[in-house]
Structures are given as structure tokens and as C-alpha cells.
Amino acid sequence: MDKSVDKRIEARYKNVIRHLDRTWHILDDTRVPLLKNVLSWLAHPDRDLKIIHVAGTNGKSSTVAMMTAIFQANGYTCGHFSSPSILSEREQIGINNTLITPKDFLCYYDEVVKCLKQHGLNFDQLTYFEYFTLISLLYFKAEHVDFVMFEAGLGGLRDATNAIDAPLMAVFTKISLDHQNIIGRNLTEIAEDESAIIKKGTVVINYAGQDMTVSRVLKQRTVTVGATLFEHTPDQIIIANTTPAGMDLIINGQSGYFLSMSGAFQAHNFSIVLQIKAALMTMGYDFTPEKSRDGLANVSMLGRMNYHADSNILFDAAHNVDGMNGLVSALNAWHLKIKPTLILGVLKDKDYHEMLDIIVPVVQRVITVTPNNKTRALHAEELAAEIIASYPNVDVEIASDATAAISLAMRVRESSQALIVVTGSFYTLSALQKDSRI
């Protein structure tokens, strides 16, 4: 393609992204019905796809990444829709880990806008996440993918992804307390919201370690709508060895498995992947152990226990209490000789006080940054003041921006043997997008 044409496409793509409405209509019951209408006007691309719809509090993106890698290793094409993004918005839509191009994005964006106009609606009546949801479905249909790993954004009931017809599977990772001001005040209410993705005819996969309260809600919804709960004997997964680069696993007595993602919680996510694979095999799809093993060893995921050995930096978007517990468990399992240096940025609407109680005791010092979210970010100065007040024995510094934080951390850590951990939010990691080290 002509470079000048390339530049025009890139410029228009950036302009479109810049002007999309970032509002989350999280309590608006009219949004999913609106999107259902739009999907019907677009000839229901979702009905032509084998969609595996993934919901839950933690582990969705990891589950999507693992299953996508296993699909690819076994010769299937897999579309993934996953959020949020870190370095590029296009990370949210891809096929076999190749991101949608700006040209393709604009093609399907224009198709949606044209459809809206034909039905008397303006382009600005859909939000950023709603556009990405619709564009992903059109793109996956056009590319004739074998499967789609489709990650819910927030909850289930009012989430844009819930506009699809019954998916092939509804998959639930661990559901815990998060966003209580949005999707539910307690586990029961949160589970009820998440369970809305279960529809008639769908096969339901539930995380084996799910809270009993949550499991009761999911089972009740499954029975009520006429779905099927996949019955599966829990796989035995033993972590034989763990390092920042990944884990050696023994699965049902078989050794020789390496998961290129760290943290014991990833083994829990992998147990869900094994259930998905087992359910698909009962439907007649083929997966060989050797190819699946290759896929597992090549899972690549930006910002989730993402370790850079050359600089000894770990990036992990632990953005809530459960995520922070998982991160600290991994750090403890590595038996580090020197306490890590922490680069931390959090959102003010999260339970960051408890997150601090979990992470600060295991680090040498904290460098605070302001996450890349103007409305929700807790400013670096405020976060530093909170840490100093509660942990007077921990060194705390404030960085003017995320890149400065990396440079400062590399300068002040005891040696290159000391791990740097960057965490607290996806928006903390996205603030590093201009830094080549992520």
C-alpha cells in the first residue's frame, strides 16, 4: 500500500478513536436492547460464530489468552475480544494474536455508522466499548474464524457483550467482590449480574474453586433458562516449579507442561481452560496433548504477570484485592533474595487501602505514579501520603510520570538482581505505553 494512503488511514483511525464516547452506561437497562437491535440490523453476525463468552471478576483475559494459544496450536483460528487495552486499543480485537488493522477497524466502523444512519441514529449514540463489541463480531464473521473467545467488560447483565444471542459456552472465572457500587452489593448480587450471560442451549463452565454462594446462583440460572452445566472431574494441577518466566506443571500425573505465565492463580485459570477443552472434545473437536502443550508454553499476554528478563521488571495489572493477593503469592513463591521495588498507581474507586495492606509489606520501596485515567485515578501525591501514613518504615517516592518511575526504579534498586514490579491498574500500565521497556 502507498505510504501516504497508510498515513491517511492511521490518521483517520486515531481521529475516530479520539472522538468515541468513553462513557460506561453501567446502570442503563436500555443499552443491551439497543445493541440487540443494531446486531439484528447488521444481520446477526453473532449467530454465525462459535462464541465462548467469558465473565468473572479476575482471570478473564488470562483464560482467553491461554485458550486462544491452545486453539492456535491445534490448527484452529480463534478471534479474541478482550479488554482493557494497554499499549494500543487494537489489542482488544485480534485473530490468533494478530491485532485488527486500522484499515479493517475503519471498514467495520463505517459499516456500523452507516447502519445507524439508516435507522435514524447518529454515530455518537454508541460508546467506545459498544463500537468495539460490534466491530469485533463483524470482523470475526468476515474472517470465518473457527471460535471466538469473547470477554465481558463489566459484569454480565448490562454489559455490551450480553447483546449476543446464546453463545456456544458461558464460562465463569472466579467471581469475587469488586465494583460493588455498580453490579452488586454482595456476592449473590454480583453473581446474579454475571449469570445473565447464560442463555438457553448454552454449555456452562464454572471455575472449580468458585464460592458456593456464586455456584448456587449460576446453577439456578442454568436450570431456569434451559442451559447445560458441564460436569467435569476437576483436573489435578501441581506446580512443580515456579519462576518469573513461568511454571512447570504436572497435570493429572503427566509432567512436561510449561505455562509461560507466572503466579499460582494462573494454574486456577488454566483449570478453566482444561474444562473448556474437555467440553469441546465432547462436541467432537480435536485437541492433541503435544500441540496443546506447545500452545501452553507460548502464551503471550501483555501486562498480566508479564516478565522482562533483560531488565528484571514484572508488569502485572493487579487492579483489585484478589489480583493483588495473587501477585503477592507469586512473589512469595519465588523466594526473592532482595525485596522488590514497587511502581504503583491505583484508581480511587478501588479498595486501594486493602490492596496496600497486601503489597506494601513485601516490598523494599514504593514509587507512586498517577494512572492514565483522568476521572478515576488517585494522584501519585495522594497515594504516597497514604503509604507514608500507614507504613513509615517503607521508602516512598513520587514520579512525575510512568517513564520517569521506571528510570528512577532502575537507578535506586540495590542491584539488577532486585526485581521491579509495576502494578495497581491497567491504567498504570497504559501510562507506560511510550516506554519501550514494556
Side-chain angles (χ1 to χ4, degrees):
M1 184 184 290
D2 187 284
K3 285 187 178 179
S4 62
V5 175
D6 242 357
K7 287 182 178 179
R8 286 201 298 272
I9 289 172
E10 185 68 31
R12 182 171 176 245
Y13 166 77
K14 289 180 178 177
N15 188 54
V16 166
I17 293 294
R18 189 162 50 247
H19 287 93
L20 290 178
D21 177 10
R22 302 283 175 143
T23 306
W24 283 83
H25 296 283
I26 43 186
L27 298 176
D28 188 343
D29 290 324
T30 68
R31 302 309 295 183
V32 169
L34 169 62
L35 290 174
K36 284 179 178 290
N37 284 335
V38 178
L39 282 173
S40 70
W41 301 337
L42 293 167
H44 288 291
D46 52 312
R47 292 181 180 175
D48 295 315
L49 296 166
K50 294 183 180 70
I51 296 175
I52 299 172
H53 200 174
V54 184
T57 307
N58 287 88
K60 297 189 296 294
S61 295
S62 296
T63 301
V64 167
M66 289 181 210
M67 195 65 225
T68 299
I70 288 173
F71 274 134
Q72 188 175 355
N74 281 276
Y76 296 108
T77 54
C78 181
H80 79 263
F81 178 67
S82 188
S83 64
S85 60
I86 295 175
L87 303 185
S88 166
E89 289 87 357
R90 293 185 293 113
E91 292 164 25
Q92 296 170 100
I93 303 173
I95 297 174
N96 284 5
N97 289 319
T98 299
L99 308 187
I100 189 172
T101 65
K103 182 181 178 181
D104 283 337
F105 182 93
L106 291 173
C107 171
Y108 300 113
Y109 169 79
D110 289 340
E111 186 176 339
V112 175
V113 171
K114 180 181 177 182
C115 172
L116 293 175
K117 288 181 178 177
Q118 288 173 341
H119 291 84
L121 300 177
N122 295 321
F123 84 95
D124 59 359
Q125 288 180 262
L126 293 183
T127 66
Y128 171 95
F129 188 73
E130 291 167 347
Y131 267 111
F132 269 80
T133 301
L134 296 170
I135 288 167
S136 73
L137 294 168
L138 291 170
Y139 177 55
F140 297 147
K141 178 183 176 180
E143 295 297 319
H144 305 288
V145 300
D146 296 313
F147 296 96
V148 173
M149 294 299 296
F150 205 54
E151 181 187 326
L154 184 62
L157 180 63
R158 300 177 188 87
D159 190 71
T161 62
N162 200 32
I164 63 171
D165 276 359
L168 180 68
M169 291 186 194
V171 175
F172 295 93
T173 64
K174 185 178 180 183
I175 294 174
S176 54
L177 293 174
D178 196 16
H179 300 294
Q180 290 101 307
N181 59 327
I182 299 171
I183 62 174
R185 295 163 296 180
N186 52 51
L187 267 184
T188 298
E189 290 184 1
I190 291 171
E192 287 171 348
D193 187 287
E194 302 269 8
S195 74
I197 70 166
I198 301 174
K199 293 163 185 169
K200 185 177 181 180
T202 297
V203 173
V204 179
I205 304 284
N206 185 23
Y207 165 55
Q210 199 74 266
D211 186 282
M212 288 183 64
T213 301
V214 173
S215 290
R216 278 196 295 270
V217 171
L218 298 181
K219 286 178 182 177
Q220 182 58 53
R221 169 77 180 182
T222 299
V223 171
T224 301
V225 304
T228 304
L229 183 66
F230 181 63
E231 301 289 350
H232 182 68
T233 303
D235 294 280
Q236 185 188 56
I237 302 174
I238 297 172
I239 300 172
N241 185 46
T242 178
T243 71
M247 299 183 290
D248 292 303
L249 303 177
I250 301 170
I251 301 171
N252 297 326
Q254 294 289 317
S255 59
Y257 290 87
F258 178 74
L259 172 60
S260 57
M261 301 174 78
S262 289
F265 61 93
Q266 295 294 10
H268 299 312
N269 295 329
F270 182 55
S271 72
I272 302 169
V273 169
L274 289 175
Q275 280 201 71
I276 297 171
K277 186 164 71 73
L280 288 169
M281 290 177 75
T282 66
M283 299 176 190
Y285 297 101
D286 293 324
F287 296 88
T288 66
E290 296 78 15
K291 290 177 181 177
S292 298
R293 189 181 283 117
D294 289 343
L296 192 63
N298 290 291
V299 180
S300 177
M301 202 175 174
L302 190 67
R304 282 83 161 186
M305 297 302 288
N306 191 224
Y307 178 63
H308 291 233
D310 56 345
S311 53
N312 200 17
I313 301 177
L314 178 75
F315 299 92
D316 185 49
H319 61 286
N320 56 27
V321 171
D322 253 19
M324 202 60 80
N325 273 320
L327 171 59
V328 169
S329 292
L331 295 175
N332 289 335
W334 298 335
H335 303 293
L336 302 171
K337 294 179 181 177
I338 306 171
K339 280 189 172 184
T341 288
L342 181 68
I343 297 175
L344 183 67
V346 298
L347 301 181
K348 59 189 175 186
D349 56 10
K350 295 288 185 175
D351 188 0
Y352 62 87
H353 290 102
E354 188 169 350
M355 291 165 67
L356 291 175
D357 288 343
I358 295 165
I359 188 71
V360 174
V362 303
V363 301
Q364 184 80 18
R365 67 178 55 79
V366 183
I367 300 170
T368 63
V369 297
T370 304
N372 187 25
N373 186 307
K374 292 179 181 178
T375 57
R376 298 172 62 198
L378 184 71
H379 287 286
E381 293 81 1
E382 295 177 71
L383 179 58
E386 292 276 356
I387 297 169
I388 291 167
S390 300
Y391 297 93
N393 296 324
V394 174
D395 294 334
V396 181
E397 300 197 48
I398 300 167
S400 57
D401 59 51
T403 298
I406 291 275
S407 298
L408 176 60
M410 294 182 81
R411 192 168 66 248
V412 300
R413 65 178 168 180
E414 282 67 20
S415 73
S416 60
Q417 301 290 310
L419 181 68
I420 295 171
V421 178
V422 186
T423 191
S425 170
F426 287 100
Y427 297 103
T428 301
L429 302 193
S430 71
L432 289 159
Q433 60 184 314
K434 295 179 182 176
D435 194 299
S436 61
R437 283 167 291 211
I438 185 172

